[in-house]
Protein backbone atom coordinates (compact mmCIF):
# COMPACT_ATOMS: atom_id res chain seq x y z
CA UNK A 1 0.00 0.00 0.00
CA UNK A 2 1.67 3.24 -1.08
CA UNK A 3 1.43 6.51 0.77
CA UNK A 4 -0.09 8.19 -2.30
CA UNK A 5 -2.97 5.72 -2.25
CA UNK A 6 -4.02 5.52 1.38
CA UNK A 7 -6.12 2.59 2.54
CA UNK A 8 -9.74 2.72 3.65
CA UNK A 9 -11.52 1.12 6.59
CA UNK A 10 -12.47 -1.79 4.28
CA UNK A 11 -8.85 -2.81 3.81
CA UNK A 12 -7.08 -5.40 5.93
CA UNK A 13 -5.71 -4.27 9.29
CA UNK A 14 -2.17 -5.08 8.17
CA UNK A 15 -2.42 -2.75 5.16
CA UNK A 16 -3.81 0.08 7.31
CA UNK A 17 -1.13 -0.37 9.96
CA UNK A 18 1.61 -0.41 7.32
CA UNK A 19 0.33 2.84 5.83
CA UNK A 20 0.00 4.59 9.20
CA UNK A 21 3.48 3.40 10.23
CA UNK A 22 4.91 5.32 7.28
CA UNK A 23 3.79 8.57 8.91
CA UNK A 24 5.21 8.05 12.39
CA UNK A 25 7.67 10.66 13.66
CA UNK A 26 10.30 8.28 15.01
CA UNK A 27 10.22 9.23 18.69
CA UNK A 28 9.29 5.71 19.74
CA UNK A 29 10.81 2.37 18.75
CA UNK A 30 9.34 0.64 15.71
CA UNK A 31 8.09 -2.22 17.90
CA UNK A 32 6.22 0.09 20.26
CA UNK A 33 4.78 2.17 17.41
CA UNK A 34 3.54 -0.91 15.58
CA UNK A 35 1.90 -2.34 18.72
CA UNK A 36 0.22 0.99 19.48
CA UNK A 37 -1.08 1.44 15.92
CA UNK A 38 -2.25 -2.17 15.65
CA UNK A 39 -4.14 -1.83 18.93
CA UNK A 40 -5.87 1.33 17.73
CA UNK A 41 -6.79 -0.01 14.30
CA UNK A 42 -8.32 -3.14 15.84
CA UNK A 43 -10.37 -1.03 18.24
CA UNK A 44 -11.69 1.05 15.32
CA UNK A 45 -12.43 -1.81 12.92
CA UNK A 46 -16.10 -1.79 13.94
CA UNK A 47 -16.27 2.02 13.69
CA UNK A 48 -15.44 2.45 10.01
CA UNK A 49 -16.23 6.16 9.84
CA UNK A 50 -13.80 6.90 12.68
CA UNK A 51 -11.14 4.66 11.17
CA UNK A 52 -11.50 6.50 7.87
CA UNK A 53 -11.19 9.79 9.76
CA UNK A 54 -7.97 8.58 11.37
CA UNK A 55 -6.53 7.45 8.03
CA UNK A 56 -7.46 10.78 6.43
CA UNK A 57 -6.00 12.83 9.28
CA UNK A 58 -2.69 10.94 9.39
CA UNK A 59 -2.08 10.45 5.68
CA UNK A 60 -2.84 14.12 4.89
CA UNK A 61 -0.98 15.46 7.94
CA UNK A 62 -4.18 17.12 9.10
CA UNK A 63 -4.71 19.00 5.84
CA UNK A 64 -8.35 17.86 5.66
CA UNK A 65 -10.92 18.16 8.48
CA UNK A 66 -11.51 14.93 10.36
CA UNK A 67 -13.92 13.68 12.99
CA UNK A 68 -13.19 12.43 16.50
CA UNK A 69 -11.43 9.07 16.66
CA UNK A 70 -12.47 7.50 19.94
CA UNK A 71 -11.55 4.60 22.19
CA UNK A 72 -13.01 3.58 25.54
CA UNK A 73 -11.64 5.48 28.56
CA UNK A 74 -9.97 3.18 31.09
CA UNK A 75 -10.42 3.37 34.86
CA UNK A 76 -7.28 5.42 35.45
CA UNK A 77 -7.41 7.13 32.05
CA UNK A 78 -4.26 5.43 30.79
CA UNK A 79 -3.67 2.97 27.98
CA UNK A 80 -1.24 0.05 28.22
CA UNK A 81 0.88 -0.67 25.15
CA UNK A 82 3.82 -3.08 25.08
CA UNK A 83 4.08 -3.13 28.86
CA UNK A 84 4.00 0.65 29.17
CA UNK A 85 1.15 2.81 30.36
CA UNK A 86 0.43 6.29 29.06
CA UNK A 87 -2.41 8.66 28.28
CA UNK A 88 -3.86 7.57 24.92
CA UNK A 89 -4.12 10.99 23.26
CA UNK A 90 -0.48 11.65 24.24
CA UNK A 91 0.74 8.29 22.91
CA UNK A 92 -0.74 8.88 19.44
CA UNK A 93 0.17 12.57 19.33
CA UNK A 94 3.79 11.52 20.00
CA UNK A 95 3.66 8.85 17.32
CA UNK A 96 2.35 11.04 14.52
CA UNK A 97 3.09 14.66 15.44
CA UNK A 98 5.44 15.53 18.31
CA UNK A 99 7.85 12.81 19.47
CA UNK A 100 9.08 14.94 22.42
CA UNK A 101 5.59 15.77 23.68
CA UNK A 102 4.58 15.84 27.34
CA UNK A 103 0.95 15.30 28.31
CA UNK A 104 0.52 18.69 30.01
CA UNK A 105 1.39 20.38 26.74
CA UNK A 106 -1.74 19.30 24.90
CA UNK A 107 -4.89 21.36 24.48
CA UNK A 108 -7.85 20.09 22.49
CA UNK A 109 -9.37 22.09 19.64
CA UNK A 110 -12.81 23.57 20.23
CA UNK A 111 -14.66 21.24 17.89
CA UNK A 112 -13.35 18.05 19.53
CA UNK A 113 -16.31 16.46 21.33
CA UNK A 114 -14.48 13.66 23.15
CA UNK A 115 -11.21 15.32 24.16
CA UNK A 116 -9.33 13.67 27.04
CA UNK A 117 -9.90 16.65 29.36
CA UNK A 118 -13.68 16.52 28.86
CA UNK A 119 -13.80 13.30 30.94
CA UNK A 120 -16.21 11.51 28.59
CA UNK A 121 -16.56 7.73 28.57
CA UNK A 122 -14.77 7.76 25.22
CA UNK A 123 -11.47 9.53 24.50
CA UNK A 124 -10.56 11.15 21.20
CA UNK A 125 -7.07 10.14 20.06
CA UNK A 126 -7.05 12.01 16.76
CA UNK A 127 -3.69 13.81 16.94
CA UNK A 128 -5.07 16.66 14.83
CA UNK A 129 -7.77 17.38 17.40
CA UNK A 130 -5.07 18.63 19.79
CA UNK A 131 -2.75 21.61 19.74
CA UNK A 132 0.64 21.87 21.37
CA UNK A 133 0.86 24.75 23.83
CA UNK A 134 3.22 25.91 26.57
CA UNK A 135 1.44 27.26 29.61
CA UNK A 136 3.58 28.58 32.50
CA UNK A 137 0.58 28.35 34.87
CA UNK A 138 0.19 24.58 34.81
CA UNK A 139 0.48 23.03 38.26
CA UNK A 140 2.34 19.91 37.65
CA UNK A 141 4.83 20.40 39.95
CA UNK A 142 3.87 22.17 36.96
CA UNK A 143 5.30 20.14 34.08
CA UNK A 144 5.17 21.40 30.46
CA UNK A 145 7.69 21.18 27.65
CA UNK A 146 10.03 23.65 25.98
CA UNK A 147 12.24 22.85 23.05
CA UNK A 148 15.62 24.04 24.25
CA UNK A 149 17.78 23.48 27.27
CA UNK A 150 21.29 23.54 28.62
CA UNK A 151 23.71 22.19 26.09
CA UNK A 152 25.80 19.15 26.78
CA UNK A 153 23.48 17.89 29.51
CA UNK A 154 24.00 14.15 29.67
CA UNK A 155 21.99 11.60 31.61
CA UNK A 156 25.06 10.19 33.32
CA UNK A 157 26.07 13.39 35.09
CA UNK A 158 27.32 12.37 38.52
CA UNK A 159 30.12 13.95 40.50
CA UNK A 160 32.80 11.81 38.87
CA UNK A 161 33.14 9.60 35.82
CA UNK A 162 33.20 5.98 36.87
CA UNK A 163 34.74 4.68 33.65
CA UNK A 164 31.57 2.81 32.69
CA UNK A 165 29.26 3.54 29.83
CA UNK A 166 25.60 4.17 30.58
CA UNK A 167 23.56 1.03 30.12
CA UNK A 168 21.13 1.33 27.22
CA UNK A 169 17.49 1.93 28.12
CA UNK A 170 15.24 -0.84 26.85
CA UNK A 171 11.67 -0.58 25.69
CA UNK A 172 9.14 -0.79 28.51
CA UNK A 173 11.76 -0.57 31.26
CA UNK A 174 12.73 2.08 33.80
CA UNK A 175 13.65 5.50 32.43
CA UNK A 176 15.58 8.41 33.91
CA UNK A 177 13.54 11.63 33.80
CA UNK A 178 15.53 14.80 34.43
CA UNK A 179 14.49 17.95 36.30
CA UNK A 180 17.25 20.57 35.86
CA UNK A 181 16.97 24.34 36.42
CA UNK A 182 17.29 26.47 33.31
CA UNK A 183 19.76 28.94 34.76
CA UNK A 184 21.76 29.63 37.93
CA UNK A 185 19.64 31.16 40.67
CA UNK A 186 20.96 33.76 43.07
CA UNK A 187 20.19 32.80 46.66
CA UNK A 188 20.39 34.68 49.90
CA UNK A 189 23.60 34.00 51.84
CA UNK A 190 23.51 32.28 55.21
CA UNK A 191 26.09 31.11 57.68
CA UNK A 192 27.43 27.79 56.46
CA UNK A 193 27.38 25.23 59.29
CA UNK A 194 30.07 22.65 59.89
CA UNK A 195 30.40 20.26 56.98
CA UNK A 196 31.80 16.78 56.56
CA UNK A 197 35.26 17.79 55.23
CA UNK A 198 36.74 21.23 56.10
CA UNK A 199 37.16 21.93 52.38
CA UNK A 200 33.41 21.83 51.90
CA UNK A 201 32.98 24.92 54.07
CA UNK A 202 34.71 27.18 51.54
CA UNK A 203 33.81 30.81 50.96
CA UNK A 204 32.14 29.93 47.67
CA UNK A 205 29.80 27.51 49.43
CA UNK A 206 28.89 30.03 52.12
CA UNK A 207 27.73 32.64 49.62
CA UNK A 208 24.99 30.54 48.02
CA UNK A 209 22.36 28.72 50.01
CA UNK A 210 18.72 28.65 50.88
CA UNK A 211 16.68 31.58 52.16
CA UNK A 212 15.95 31.57 55.87
CA UNK A 213 12.37 30.79 56.82
CA UNK A 214 10.55 31.01 60.11
CA UNK A 215 9.72 27.32 60.28
CA UNK A 216 6.40 26.54 61.86
CA UNK A 217 4.99 30.05 61.43
CA UNK A 218 1.59 30.35 59.82
CA UNK A 219 2.84 32.50 56.97
CA UNK A 220 5.95 30.48 56.19
CA UNK A 221 4.54 29.09 52.96
CA UNK A 222 3.34 32.44 51.61
CA UNK A 223 6.56 34.15 52.68
CA UNK A 224 8.52 31.51 50.80
CA UNK A 225 6.46 32.14 47.67
CA UNK A 226 6.99 35.89 47.68
CA UNK A 227 10.72 35.78 48.31
CA UNK A 228 11.65 32.82 46.14
CA UNK A 229 13.31 33.13 42.76
CA UNK A 230 12.20 29.62 41.78
CA UNK A 231 9.23 29.57 39.39
CA UNK A 232 7.36 26.36 38.50
CA UNK A 233 9.30 23.74 36.58
CA UNK A 234 8.97 23.35 32.83
CA UNK A 235 10.35 20.23 31.16
CA UNK A 236 12.02 19.73 27.80
CA UNK A 237 13.62 16.84 25.98
CA UNK A 238 17.33 16.26 25.58
CA UNK A 239 19.13 13.01 24.74
CA UNK A 240 15.76 11.24 24.65
CA UNK A 241 14.91 11.98 28.28
CA UNK A 242 12.19 14.22 29.67
CA UNK A 243 13.66 17.12 31.62
CA UNK A 244 12.10 19.81 33.77
CA UNK A 245 13.45 23.29 34.38
CA UNK A 246 12.04 26.61 35.56
CA UNK A 247 11.36 29.38 33.00
CA UNK A 248 12.60 32.93 33.53
CA UNK A 249 11.40 34.27 36.87
CA UNK A 250 8.56 36.80 37.09
CA UNK A 251 8.76 38.35 40.58
CA UNK A 252 5.14 39.51 40.58
CA UNK A 253 3.76 36.03 39.83
CA UNK A 254 2.84 33.41 42.40
CA UNK A 255 2.56 29.66 42.15
CA UNK A 256 -1.09 28.71 41.78
CA UNK A 257 -0.66 25.68 44.01
CA UNK A 258 -0.78 27.76 47.21
CA UNK A 259 -4.18 29.21 46.47
CA UNK A 260 -5.55 25.84 45.34
CA UNK A 261 -4.53 24.18 48.57
CA UNK A 262 -6.04 26.98 50.65
CA UNK A 263 -9.53 26.37 49.27
CA UNK A 264 -9.51 22.56 49.26
CA UNK A 265 -11.46 20.84 52.04
CA UNK A 266 -9.49 18.21 53.98
CA UNK A 267 -9.67 14.64 52.71
CA UNK A 268 -10.25 13.38 56.25
CA UNK A 269 -11.51 14.97 59.46
CA UNK A 270 -9.10 12.82 61.44
CA UNK A 271 -6.60 15.04 63.34
CA UNK A 272 -3.23 15.46 61.64
CA UNK A 273 -0.49 13.13 62.91
CA UNK A 274 2.08 14.42 65.42
CA UNK A 275 4.84 13.91 62.85
CA UNK A 276 4.22 14.62 59.15
CA UNK A 277 7.02 12.31 57.99
CA UNK A 278 9.79 10.02 59.17
CA UNK A 279 13.13 9.73 57.37
CA UNK A 280 15.40 6.68 57.40
CA UNK A 281 18.96 6.95 56.07
CA UNK A 282 20.58 4.04 54.22
CA UNK A 283 23.99 3.18 52.87
CA UNK A 284 23.51 0.52 50.20
CA UNK A 285 20.96 -1.86 51.76
CA UNK A 286 21.73 -1.09 55.42
CA UNK A 287 19.93 1.52 57.54
CA UNK A 288 22.36 3.77 59.37
CA UNK A 289 21.29 5.57 62.55
CA UNK A 290 17.82 6.00 63.97
CA UNK A 291 14.76 6.99 61.95
CA UNK A 292 14.32 10.76 62.10
CA UNK A 293 10.78 12.02 62.73
CA UNK A 294 9.73 15.48 61.58
CA UNK A 295 7.09 17.22 63.75
CA UNK A 296 3.99 18.62 62.01
CA UNK A 297 5.00 21.99 63.49
CA UNK A 298 8.01 21.94 61.11
CA UNK A 299 6.55 21.84 57.56
CA UNK A 300 10.03 22.34 56.06
CA UNK A 301 12.87 19.99 56.91
CA UNK A 302 16.45 19.98 55.61
CA UNK A 303 18.42 16.78 55.11
CA UNK A 304 22.11 17.59 54.63
CA UNK A 305 25.60 16.14 54.92
CA UNK A 306 26.82 18.32 57.78
CA UNK A 307 27.98 17.13 61.19
CA UNK A 308 25.79 19.37 63.34
CA UNK A 309 23.37 17.68 65.75
CA UNK A 310 20.05 16.71 64.19
CA UNK A 311 16.75 17.94 65.57
CA UNK A 312 13.45 19.59 64.74
CA UNK A 313 13.64 20.78 61.16
CA UNK A 314 17.10 19.44 60.33
CA UNK A 315 18.50 15.93 59.79
CA UNK A 316 22.30 15.94 59.51
CA UNK A 317 23.73 12.80 57.93
CA UNK A 318 27.38 13.74 58.42
CA UNK A 319 27.42 12.78 62.08
CA UNK A 320 26.09 9.25 61.50
CA UNK A 321 28.68 6.47 61.81
CA UNK A 322 28.77 3.07 60.12
CA UNK A 323 31.51 0.52 60.85
CA UNK A 324 30.86 -1.14 57.47
CA UNK A 325 31.19 2.09 55.46
CA UNK A 326 33.32 1.68 52.33
CA UNK A 327 35.60 4.22 50.70
CA UNK A 328 33.11 4.64 47.84
CA UNK A 329 30.31 5.45 50.29
CA UNK A 330 32.56 7.86 52.17
CA UNK A 331 33.44 9.61 48.92
CA UNK A 332 29.77 9.96 47.94
CA UNK A 333 28.83 11.30 51.38
CA UNK A 334 31.34 14.13 50.97
CA UNK A 335 29.22 15.44 48.10
CA UNK A 336 25.84 15.55 49.88
CA UNK A 337 26.66 19.07 51.06
CA UNK A 338 23.59 21.23 51.62
CA UNK A 339 21.38 18.28 50.67
CA UNK A 340 17.68 18.78 50.09
CA UNK A 341 14.71 20.55 51.58
CA UNK A 342 11.41 18.70 51.94
CA UNK A 343 8.34 20.88 52.27
CA UNK A 344 4.88 19.72 53.34
CA UNK A 345 2.10 21.86 51.89
CA UNK A 346 -1.60 21.84 52.59
CA UNK A 347 -2.85 18.56 54.04
CA UNK A 348 0.11 16.52 52.87
CA UNK A 349 1.51 17.44 49.44
CA UNK A 350 5.32 17.32 49.34
CA UNK A 351 7.79 19.46 47.39
CA UNK A 352 11.56 19.02 47.13
CA UNK A 353 14.24 21.64 46.65
CA UNK A 354 17.74 20.44 45.76
CA UNK A 355 20.23 22.56 47.72
CA UNK A 356 23.22 20.35 47.00
CA UNK A 357 25.79 21.06 44.31
CA UNK A 358 24.93 17.63 42.90
CA UNK A 359 21.70 16.11 41.65
CA UNK A 360 19.44 13.89 43.73
CA UNK A 361 17.48 10.96 42.30
CA UNK A 362 13.89 10.43 43.37
CA UNK A 363 11.41 7.56 43.17
CA UNK A 364 8.01 9.27 43.05
CA UNK A 365 4.73 7.72 41.87
CA UNK A 366 3.32 11.23 41.45
CA UNK A 367 6.06 12.25 39.02
CA UNK A 368 5.75 8.88 37.26
CA UNK A 369 2.08 9.56 36.62
CA UNK A 370 2.69 13.16 35.53
CA UNK A 371 5.27 11.91 33.04
CA UNK A 372 2.82 9.33 31.69
CA UNK A 373 4.81 6.40 33.11
CA UNK A 374 3.62 3.40 35.10
CA UNK A 375 4.22 3.61 38.88
CA UNK A 376 7.83 2.75 39.69
CA UNK A 377 8.75 2.87 36.01
CA UNK A 378 11.06 5.90 36.20
CA UNK A 379 13.80 7.53 38.26
CA UNK A 380 13.60 11.32 38.50
CA UNK A 381 16.85 13.28 38.45
CA UNK A 382 16.41 16.59 40.26
CA UNK A 383 19.19 19.02 39.55
CA UNK A 384 20.73 21.62 41.92
CA UNK A 385 18.39 24.58 42.59
CA UNK A 386 15.37 22.76 41.12
CA UNK A 387 12.15 22.94 43.16
CA UNK A 388 9.51 20.38 42.29
CA UNK A 389 6.40 18.68 43.61
CA UNK A 390 7.00 14.98 44.28
CA UNK A 391 3.86 13.87 46.13
CA UNK A 392 0.16 14.68 45.83
CA UNK A 393 -1.97 13.49 48.75
CA UNK A 394 -5.30 13.55 46.90
CA UNK A 395 -3.94 11.58 43.98
CA UNK A 396 -2.40 9.07 46.38
CA UNK A 397 -5.72 8.74 48.25
CA UNK A 398 -7.59 8.07 45.01
CA UNK A 399 -5.04 5.44 44.00
CA UNK A 400 -5.18 3.61 47.32
CA UNK A 401 -9.01 3.61 47.23
CA UNK A 402 -9.00 2.24 43.67
CA UNK A 403 -6.41 -0.43 44.38
CA UNK A 404 -8.02 -1.52 47.66
CA UNK A 405 -11.44 -1.79 46.03
CA UNK A 406 -9.98 -3.70 43.07
CA UNK A 407 -8.08 -6.10 45.32
CA UNK A 408 -11.11 -6.70 47.53
CA UNK A 409 -13.40 -7.41 44.59
CA UNK A 410 -10.78 -9.57 42.87
CA UNK A 411 -10.12 -11.61 46.00
CA UNK A 412 -13.84 -12.29 46.37
CA UNK A 413 -14.14 -13.29 42.72
CA UNK A 414 -11.05 -15.47 42.98
CA UNK A 415 -12.52 -17.24 46.01
CA UNK A 416 -15.68 -17.85 44.00
CA UNK A 417 -13.57 -19.24 41.17
CA UNK A 418 -11.79 -21.63 43.52
CA UNK A 419 -15.18 -22.75 44.79
CA UNK A 420 -16.21 -23.49 41.23
CA UNK A 421 -18.69 -20.64 40.87
CA UNK A 422 -17.01 -18.88 37.95
CA UNK A 423 -18.64 -19.09 34.48
CA UNK A 424 -17.14 -21.62 32.10
CA UNK A 425 -15.15 -20.87 28.95
CA UNK A 426 -18.27 -21.04 26.80
CA UNK A 427 -20.20 -18.41 28.75
CA UNK A 428 -19.91 -14.63 28.64
CA UNK A 429 -16.54 -13.57 29.94
CA UNK A 430 -15.19 -17.11 29.85
CA UNK A 431 -12.34 -18.13 32.12
CA UNK A 432 -10.09 -15.23 31.08
CA UNK A 433 -11.29 -12.90 33.86
CA UNK A 434 -9.91 -15.32 36.43
CA UNK A 435 -6.39 -14.63 35.18
CA UNK A 436 -6.62 -10.87 35.63
CA UNK A 437 -8.49 -11.35 38.90
CA UNK A 438 -5.63 -13.45 40.19
CA UNK A 439 -3.22 -10.60 39.44
CA UNK A 440 -5.51 -8.02 41.04
CA UNK A 441 -6.03 -10.21 44.10
CA UNK A 442 -2.24 -10.17 44.50
CA UNK A 443 -2.38 -6.55 45.68
CA UNK A 444 -1.46 -6.52 49.38
CA UNK A 445 -1.11 -3.95 52.15
CA UNK A 446 2.60 -3.54 51.36
CA UNK A 447 1.72 -2.52 47.79
CA UNK A 448 -0.59 0.18 49.14
CA UNK A 449 2.01 1.36 51.66
CA UNK A 450 4.44 1.98 48.80
CA UNK A 451 2.11 4.72 47.58
CA UNK A 452 2.91 6.59 50.81
CA UNK A 453 6.70 6.38 50.55
CA UNK A 454 9.31 8.47 48.72
CA UNK A 455 12.88 7.33 48.11
CA UNK A 456 15.76 9.64 47.29
CA UNK A 457 19.41 8.95 46.49
CA UNK A 458 22.12 11.59 46.90
CA UNK A 459 24.66 12.10 44.12
CA UNK A 460 24.30 8.64 42.52
CA UNK A 461 21.49 7.45 40.27
CA UNK A 462 20.20 3.99 39.45
CA UNK A 463 18.34 2.29 36.63
CA UNK A 464 19.29 1.48 33.02
CA UNK A 465 21.22 4.73 32.61
CA UNK A 466 23.58 3.86 35.49
CA UNK A 467 25.64 0.85 36.65
CA UNK A 468 23.32 0.46 39.67
CA UNK A 469 19.99 -1.25 38.99
CA UNK A 470 18.36 -0.58 42.37
CA UNK A 471 18.40 2.27 44.88
CA UNK A 472 19.75 -0.27 47.37
CA UNK A 473 22.96 -0.29 45.32
CA UNK A 474 23.47 3.47 45.76
CA UNK A 475 25.92 4.66 48.44
CA UNK A 476 23.66 7.04 50.38
CA UNK A 477 19.89 7.41 50.19
CA UNK A 478 16.84 8.16 52.30
CA UNK A 479 13.36 6.67 52.57
CA UNK A 480 10.58 9.08 53.54
CA UNK A 481 7.36 7.73 55.07
CA UNK A 482 4.51 10.23 54.78
CA UNK A 483 2.35 9.91 57.88
CA UNK A 484 -0.80 11.67 56.69
CA UNK A 485 -0.93 9.38 53.66
CA UNK A 486 -0.38 6.34 55.90
CA UNK A 487 -3.14 7.61 58.16
CA UNK A 488 -5.51 7.83 55.19
CA UNK A 489 -4.46 4.35 54.10
CA UNK A 490 -5.41 3.05 57.54
CA UNK A 491 -8.86 4.59 57.10
CA UNK A 492 -9.22 3.06 53.63
CA UNK A 493 -8.24 -0.38 54.91
CA UNK A 494 -10.78 -0.13 57.74
CA UNK A 495 -13.57 0.50 55.23
CA UNK A 496 -12.23 -1.94 52.62
CA UNK A 497 -10.06 -4.53 54.39
CA UNK A 498 -7.88 -6.64 52.12
CA UNK A 499 -5.91 -9.72 53.05
CA UNK A 500 -2.29 -10.10 52.14
CA UNK A 501 -2.10 -12.28 49.03
CA UNK A 502 -1.59 -16.00 49.54
CA UNK A 503 -0.68 -18.35 46.70
CA UNK A 504 -3.29 -20.85 45.56
CA UNK A 505 -2.54 -24.53 45.96
Amino acid sequence: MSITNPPTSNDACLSIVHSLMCHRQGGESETFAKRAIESLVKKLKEKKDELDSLITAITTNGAHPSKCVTIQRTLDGRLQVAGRKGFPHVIYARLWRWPDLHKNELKHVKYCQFAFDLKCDSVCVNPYHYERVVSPGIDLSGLTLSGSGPSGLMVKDEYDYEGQQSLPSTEGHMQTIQHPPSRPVAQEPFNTPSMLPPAEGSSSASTSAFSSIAVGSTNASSSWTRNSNFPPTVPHHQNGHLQHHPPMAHPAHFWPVHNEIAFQPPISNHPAPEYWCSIAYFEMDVQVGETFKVPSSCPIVTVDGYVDPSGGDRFCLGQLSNVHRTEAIERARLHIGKGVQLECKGEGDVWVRCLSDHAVFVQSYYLDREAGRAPGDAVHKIYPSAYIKVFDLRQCHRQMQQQAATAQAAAAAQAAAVAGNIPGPGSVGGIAPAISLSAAAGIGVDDLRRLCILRMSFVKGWGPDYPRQSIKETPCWIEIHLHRALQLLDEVLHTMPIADPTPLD
Side-chain angles (χ1 to χ4, degrees):
M1 183 68 62
S2 67
I3 298 176
T4 54
N5 296 301
T8 70
S9 58
N10 293 320
D11 287 304
C13 285
L14 190 63
S15 298
I16 299 172
V17 171
H18 176 75
S19 176
L20 297 178
M21 280 286 287
C22 294
H23 294 268
R24 67 188 182 94
Q25 295 300 304
E28 298 283 3
S29 70
E30 184 175 353
T31 301
F32 179 86
K34 188 174 182 181
R35 292 276 291 275
I37 295 172
E38 283 177 345
S39 172
L40 180 57
V41 171
K42 287 176 182 177
K43 286 183 172 75
L44 298 174
K45 244 328 190 173
E46 301 304 317
K47 298 187 284 187
K48 294 185 179 297
D49 56 335
E50 294 188 21
L51 183 52
D52 282 326
S53 288
L54 175 69
I55 294 168
T56 299
I58 302 306
T59 57
T60 65
N61 295 323
H64 299 298
S66 54
K67 298 192 299 185
C68 285
V69 177
T70 62
I71 61 173
Q72 186 71 26
R73 180 185 289 270
T74 59
L75 185 65
D76 66 354
R78 295 182 297 166
L79 179 70
Q80 182 160 325
V81 177
R84 273 171 47 188
K85 273 196 169 186
F87 295 96
H89 63 311
V90 178
I91 289 175
Y92 295 108
R94 282 178 184 156
L95 279 180
W96 285 309
R97 296 195 71 183
W98 307 289
D100 60 349
L101 180 72
H102 184 270
K103 78 176 183 70
N104 284 34
E105 217 182 5
L106 282 182
K107 178 182 178 183
H108 64 272
V109 295
K110 292 181 180 179
Y111 52 82
C112 183
Q113 297 177 317
F114 297 95
F116 182 83
D117 293 335
L118 298 181
K119 308 295 183 185
C120 302
D121 289 339
S122 296
V123 179
C124 178
V125 294
N126 185 336
Y128 293 93
H129 277 205
Y130 294 89
E131 296 172 344
R132 189 175 189 179
V133 295
V134 176
S135 172
I138 289 178
D139 169 31
L140 131 342
S141 77
L143 278 76
T144 50
L145 279 178
S146 88
S148 62
S151 59
L153 187 62
M154 301 299 291
V155 171
K156 187 170 174 59
D157 180 23
E158 303 181 86
Y159 70 82
D160 61 358
Y161 180 66
E162 299 181 336
Q164 298 182 7
Q165 295 295 321
S166 298
L167 302 178
S169 181
T170 55
E171 184 66 51
H173 287 72
M174 187 176 288
Q175 178 188 15
T176 302
I177 299 178
Q178 306 188 37
H179 307 253
S182 60
R183 61 183 178 83
V185 180
Q187 297 175 303
E188 296 179 21
F190 79 122
N191 294 325
T192 304
S194 315
M195 303 166 106
L196 268 170
E200 291 285 311
S202 61
S203 59
S204 62
S206 64
T207 56
S208 64
F210 54 88
S211 306
S212 58
I213 294 179
V215 176
S217 64
T218 56
N219 64 347
S221 179
S222 58
S223 170
W224 181 266
T225 306
R226 288 193 298 271
N227 295 332
S228 175
N229 290 322
F230 295 86
T233 52
V234 177
H236 62 84
H237 271 259
Q238 173 126 356
N239 301 325
H241 295 270
L242 184 64
Q243 307 173 17
H244 310 273
H245 62 88
M248 297 300 289
H250 301 282
H253 293 180
F254 302 98
W255 288 314
V257 67
H258 298 283
N259 293 332
E260 290 174 11
I261 289 175
F263 292 101
Q264 286 181 331
I267 299 171
S268 169
N269 293 324
H270 198 282
E274 182 181 359
Y275 301 95
W276 72 265
C277 78
S278 56
I279 307 170
Y281 169 65
F282 293 82
E283 293 177 0
M284 307 295 279
D285 58 351
V286 177
Q287 181 174 347
V288 177
E290 298 293 324
T291 298
F292 182 79
K293 294 183 177 180
V294 184
S296 293
S297 59
C298 299
I300 300 174
V301 61
T302 303
V303 183
D304 58 44
Y306 306 152
V307 295
D308 299 314
S310 298
D313 63 348
R314 191 160 169 228
F315 185 19
C316 296
L317 306 178
Q319 44 88 27
L320 298 176
S321 60
N322 177 11
V323 294
H324 301 294
R325 184 172 294 151
T326 64
E327 184 179 344
I329 293 174
E330 193 69 65
R331 195 165 60 245
R333 278 168 51 84
L334 296 181
H335 292 82
I336 296 174
K338 301 180 185 71
V340 295
Q341 250 180 10
L342 304 172
E343 182 174 2
C344 181
K345 292 186 179 183
E347 192 176 354
D349 293 353
V350 180
W351 292 62
V352 167
R353 185 187 302 278
C354 181
L355 304 174
S356 174
D357 291 335
H358 302 279
V360 294
F361 298 80
V362 179
Q363 184 180 74
S364 161
Y365 287 178
Y366 169 77
L367 288 178
D368 291 346
R369 187 180 179 88
E370 291 301 310
R373 306 290 296 189
D377 197 30
V379 179
H380 301 269
K381 184 174 184 178
I382 301 180
Y383 281 75
S385 300
Y387 178 62
I388 189 166
K389 184 177 182 180
V390 294
F391 181 80
D392 185 286
L393 185 67
R394 290 179 184 276
Q395 183 191 90
C396 176
H397 187 237
R398 286 193 299 270
Q399 284 181 297
M400 62 176 68
Q401 284 181 315
Q402 278 184 351
Q403 290 192 24
T406 300
Q408 189 182 46
Q414 191 182 57
V418 173
N421 296 328
I422 194 165
S427 60
V428 177
I431 200 69
I435 300 170
S436 57
L437 288 175
S438 177
I443 299 173
V445 175
D446 285 345
D447 297 291
L448 297 177
R449 282 178 60 85
R450 287 191 193 98
L451 299 174
C452 313
I453 296 171
L454 296 168
R455 285 176 162 184
M456 184 182 305
S457 170
F458 294 97
V459 185
K460 295 291 186 179
W462 76 96
D465 300 304
Y466 300 93
R468 299 159 293 276
Q469 297 307 296
S470 162
I471 193 171
K472 292 184 179 181
E473 296 174 32
T474 62
C476 41
W477 59 281
I478 55 175
E479 184 171 84
I480 305 143
H481 290 242
L482 303 172
H483 292 187
R484 183 59 168 174
L486 290 167
Q487 192 179 57
L488 294 177
L489 174 58
D490 191 52
E491 291 183 12
V492 168
L493 292 176
H494 272 91
T495 57
M496 291 184 288
I498 63 173
D500 279 322
T502 55
L504 297 175
D505 293 332

